[in-house]
Amino acid sequence: RNLKTLTVKQSLLYAHAYFNGHRFTETGRYEHDFPTSEYKSKTILKYLAHQENNSRALFVLGVVDKNKVMIDKAAELGDSYAKLYSILDFGCNGDPLKVMPLLNGLYSVTKEQAIKSEINTIHGDGFSSICEELSSGSFEYSFVRDYKTVL
């Protein structure tokens, strides 16, 4: 399909499908297995990040490439998941107690349920499990599940 004919969310869902081999609909229903191609996934993400100036695509590229500069840039551009990752990175590599007010602030302003769920998990389980997840480089479905383009 031509990326110019798809919405940003549809494009992100295709990028996720190529990366993980599972295709989900925009409503979150599992559709079918999908051919895996990290190259195609990153090509879609690069197109969205650089041609469409999409901060979520830039964030996901930063995660899968383990590129903190990209994640920080996406956070500067206003991406909520990138902001969460930056806060979590600070908590994992510094004093977790100092980031709790930042997490609570992000919780109060974010509209994405997946981000709120992540913050609730941290409140319940602490930072240990999330710190391992941060360095995995995986393209999580939660990155696109509740995504809406910010205008």
Side-chain angles (χ1 to χ4, degrees), residues 71-86:
I71 295 170
D72 290 345
K73 179 67 175 169
E76 286 174 27
L77 294 172
D79 186 76
S80 297
Y81 240 113
K83 289 177 185 178
L84 174 65
Y85 257 57
S86 294

Side-chain angles (χ1 to χ4, degrees), residues 57-76:
L58 184 62
F59 161 71
V60 174
L61 272 174
V63 170
V64 299
D65 287 341
K66 299 179 182 179
N67 184 324
K68 186 173 172 359
V69 173
M70 282 185 187
I71 295 170
D72 290 345
K73 179 67 175 169
E76 286 174 27

